[in-house]
Amino acid sequence: MTALPVSLDLAPALVVLPGPRAAVADAVGARTIRAPEARDLLESAPVLLAHAAMTARRLGNNAPPRSPRIFDALELFAFVRPARFCAPSAAGLAQALGLPEPRGAEAQASTLRDACRLLLAELAAAPEPSREEALALAETLARAGWSWGQAAVGALRTAPVGNMFRSSGLDVWARMIEWEAEAPPGEAGSKPVGAEHAAQRLKELLHRSGLDEARPAQAEFAAEAAFAFLPREREGEPRMMLAEAGTGTGKTLAYLAPASLWAEGNGPSVWVSTYTRALQRQIERESASVFPDPKVRAKKAVVRKGRENYLCLLNFQDHANQAQLGGADLVGMGLAARWARATRDGDMTGGDFPAWLPTLFAVSPAAQASAANLVDRRGECIHAGCQHYRTCFVEKAIRGSRRADIVIANHALVMTQAAFDGARAARGSKADAETTQLKRIVFDEGHHLFDAADSAFSAALSGAESAEMRRWIRGPEGRGRRGRGLEARLLDVLGDHDEAKQALVQATHAAAALPGEGWSGRIAPPNGEVNPIGPVEQFLVAVLEQLRARAAPSEVGMECAARPALDLVRDTAREAAAALARIEAPLLALARALEDVLDEEAATLGPAERARIEGALRGLDRRARMTLPAWRSMLRAIDEDAEDDPDFVDWFDATFLYGRVVDAACRRHWVDPTEPLTNAVIAPAHGVLVTSATLADQTLDDPFALAEMRTGAARLPDRPKTLRLTSPFDYAAQARCFVVTDVGKDDPRQIAAAMRELFLAAGGGGLGLFTAIRRLKAVHERIAAPLADKGLALYAQHVDPLEVGALVDIFRAEEDACLLGTDAVRDGVDVPGRSLRCLVFDRVPWPRPDLLHKARRARFGGKGYDDAIARGRISQAFGRLIRRADDKGVFVMLDAAAPTRLFSALPEGVELQRISLVEAIEKTTEFLAVQPAA
């Protein structure tokens, strides 16, 4: 191990695994300790940890505040290796640093000390981006009391360093590279991509990846996918293809082959859209085969997300200034500053920002250096009026996507942007340059298109949404709140346009009718004494009255049909609609005034002013021409007690948190969201490829019939081209599938005992999937300690203080760990190898029979529709189990009533066995060839 050229006495390293099971390591060695001793160490002594909040939670303590005596190794990693991946645990640190995986608490405690010595040695040898900049920030954090401050400063001063860096190091906005304006790339061409050329390009990509030849199914996919890149023959009739490619087919490179050929020949972009953030990054990594040079790839393969995902430098500057005055977490801001200087694209949600960083210590949400505080999620961007406009991460991403060959986006961005621009185009307004590029689209994870469209083309008038509208118009009204209202964003560009100024004043005044600070406590206080202020809050109180009268509460909330409405609901809906109209009218007047400015002053308006006005118009269009009319339409239907529209479902719901109501809403969804999906996205495109590992349904006479309905293909004049490729894996040899027949699915004790024994039989690597959070928590409470007794760590969504992605990262890093989760885990897990070898469902994942689903079930086939959804979820989960040719895995359903027909979508060769729990345990042990934990 590299010796550190500075003296460092590391504090004892403490690791607490679920159970809890604890160990401490110091200069003498490592030893296990009891929970009380671990608690005393955490509360009073200098201690080295990996994730302080998680450690405290396992000992039954609250997350500790940041302290000079608590050294969190993850903070040191974030300083030394900014924007580099690390799963937030001792094992994750070991993996990131190339150390052997430490198994058990003692080994992990020893590894923590080794990891920190390595990191400090690395900091001493090669600090990023320069020794001077790193030192300036380290000294700032040391003065702020950061536990690692002195060690970091000492490491950085082991080599000569100048003192020309005269800032705190927090002012990263001053050192960002500016984007450069370029001429428009023009319309995309229509040169076809031939099947032979696509197959040849795939061979080239595989060769660059170090692979000799394509798998037969992969080569067929590449050749057939060229269909989606042929010229279309009629407006509104894209070349559309649905392709199911089983796990292991290599579909990403297969569609990147024709996509990259088309982009080279036609430009400017093929959009590849995914559902999950993890797959966006995975596709970007695989694009290295197309663009091996990292600098070229940064320009040719651009990841795009919504504006609310990227670091806003103006927000960062505001937060940094507050931190230096004691109003925010200075250490957290310093570590975020390190990341901002190293990040590839400024993506804080699923990019290279460590989402676990703000969660390590007890820091109030408003003070955290987190995405919630540092991105523009409130639509308050002032565009060219911002001093950081030329270095803005969002603007760089937008400009980069206009010239990229491959734009890697997500379904939500593609749909919301297309819907917005479609609405603008219908009014004769200019569409954004981005959506004019949506000529060729690849929808990966295509089985999620229906759900993504459902979310994108819906409307919700809730307390949170309407309060956000108020804040967007009026700006922050609470003490210490950050933000910029319409007046702050627009007043100086309105000049002497008195009518526009008057409209701005009227809108600001009228927005006071929307819920303000503390609205949730007024509409649903714990003591029941409601005190609504304004017509919208009064409407929400009435909604809650109807819900309590007609709905049965569940663990997450309650819902009921919006009509027929209580008289109180109808009266308050009428008043709320009138209040919204008083907001909408001046906003529309303001929008028209800004459009007049663009027209009348076209000859004198500078590019910065024009960009700023266009940005404001986009925000006004979304709210005044889309959101507010949708809200008023819902309220009008309630007031008039209108007959139900067969194309829509309107309902009320309330959201619970810790057993109490925190929000209420009136919602409207399309029964079939593929209608707006087709109109806004599919029909305007020239070529669309929809692909997934689970797209077809073999139980149907036409396996792709349901996929055509759920992707919008059924709405096109001609049927799409279809392709089904099976996985290359030998599932008969690699997988087992059991339905356990003697476990009561409604008894948490039986479910817990079954999962415990199955995880032990597998020797760890177990994933438990639940359809209800309450049951997940009950099982976790019962099995965490017994698994820990056998050396198996258990992590759980909704229990551990980490977001799903970080939990999956830890699960992947620790080969014998186990994880409990719900739908988000099922859809977001990509864990090849032994880390996932036993997957257990607590029961059949039927769709929740809420009002919306019941309407769709009636429209789309009754019981068969339910079956199709459950079958797809089971198939998706099974696909998580076998990811490579050398994987082995066991799939278990703890629901004796699970119909055999639901397993028909499993890969060929998988035999379903209905057996007892004892038999399942024995067969799991035998198949996975592991000895039961001692």
Side-chain angles (χ1 to χ4, degrees), residues 182-229:
E182 295 179 299
E187 283 290 313
S190 297
K191 295 179 183 177
V193 173
E196 302 83 359
H197 291 108
Q200 181 58 40
R201 170 55 62 90
L202 176 62
K203 290 182 179 179
E204 295 170 6
L205 300 185
L206 291 168
H207 179 72
R208 293 174 192 169
S209 300
L211 301 173
D212 293 333
E213 60 182 24
R215 287 157 270 186
Q218 186 180 33
E220 183 180 356
F221 192 133
E224 295 291 331
F227 171 82
F229 298 93

Side-chain angles (χ1 to χ4, degrees), residues 241-534:
M241 178 176 177
L242 305 181
E244 177 177 280
T247 304
T249 303
K251 69 180 186 313
T252 303
L253 280 186
Y255 64 63
L256 284 179
S260 60
L261 275 174
W262 186 89
E264 288 174 13
N266 296 287
S269 302
V270 173
W271 281 56
V272 178
S273 178
T274 77
Y275 190 67
T276 59
R277 298 166 181 167
L279 187 57
Q280 275 188 275
R281 288 296 169 182
Q282 180 182 321
I283 294 170
E284 190 274 329
R285 288 193 296 270
E286 293 204 38
S287 71
S289 300
V290 186
F291 313 110
D293 185 330
K295 292 183 178 179
V296 173
R297 185 164 71 255
K299 294 182 178 180
K300 294 288 190 178
V302 174
V303 174
R304 275 288 283 117
K305 296 184 179 181
R307 181 176 292 272
E308 68 279 0
N309 293 278
Y310 296 92
L311 174 69
C312 168
L313 290 172
L314 187 56
N315 286 347
F316 186 93
Q317 183 177 6
D318 290 347
H319 216 62
N321 291 337
Q322 290 180 32
Q324 292 180 90
L325 297 174
D329 178 20
L330 181 56
V331 173
M333 286 302 296
L335 297 174
R338 292 283 291 162
W339 166 79
R341 287 285 284 138
T343 179
R344 169 186 164 153
D345 55 11
D347 180 0
M348 296 193 76
T349 60
D352 51 19
F353 180 77
W356 41 259
L357 190 56
T359 70
L360 300 180
F361 292 96
V363 177
S364 71
Q368 289 177 356
S370 63
N373 293 319
L374 299 179
V375 303
D376 172 32
R377 65 172 66 252
R378 302 175 177 87
E380 60 190 17
C381 180
I382 55 177
H383 300 276
C386 176
Q387 60 187 303
H388 307 304
Y389 182 64
R390 298 284 300 181
T391 54
C392 174
F393 286 114
V394 177
E395 295 298 329
K396 287 178 182 177
I398 291 173
R399 282 160 176 75
S401 68
R402 289 173 183 166
R403 294 195 160 273
D405 282 10
I406 307 293
V407 178
I408 306 162
N410 54 65
H411 299 348
L413 174 67
V414 168
M415 292 180 197
T416 55
Q417 189 67 36
F420 172 60
D421 281 343
R424 297 192 89 195
R427 294 190 304 274
S429 299
K430 174 186 173 184
D432 278 0
E434 278 190 280
T435 43
T436 61
Q437 289 182 291
L438 292 173
K439 297 293 189 290
R440 306 286 169 171
I441 314 171
V442 177
F443 286 111
D444 206 337
E445 299 182 299
H447 60 284
H448 282 302
L449 260 184
F450 188 90
D451 293 333
D454 181 39
S455 177
F457 299 108
S458 62
L461 171 55
S462 68
E465 291 291 332
S466 51
E468 187 61 26
M469 176 76 79
R470 173 176 174 141
R471 191 221 53 77
W472 180 80
I473 297 171
R474 293 174 63 91
E477 298 174 277
R479 186 173 58 184
R481 295 291 298 275
R482 176 186 52 78
R484 294 168 289 279
L486 267 182
E487 185 174 338
R489 301 199 299 275
L490 287 179
L491 194 59
D492 60 332
V493 300
L494 294 179
D496 56 359
H497 297 274
D498 293 335
E499 290 185 8
K501 288 182 179 179
Q502 182 62 29
L504 179 58
V505 170
Q506 290 175 356
T508 302
H509 177 74
L514 296 169
E517 195 79 11
W519 60 269
S520 182
R522 291 192 294 273
I523 69 167
N527 63 8
E529 296 179 6
V530 298
N531 181 31
I533 298 176

Side-chain angles (χ1 to χ4, degrees), residues 771-790:
T771 57
I773 297 171
R774 172 177 45 81
R775 291 196 300 272
L776 181 155
K777 291 181 175 179
V779 169
H780 176 272
E781 184 178 348
R782 286 179 168 88
I783 72 174
L787 289 180
D789 287 339
K790 302 297 185 179

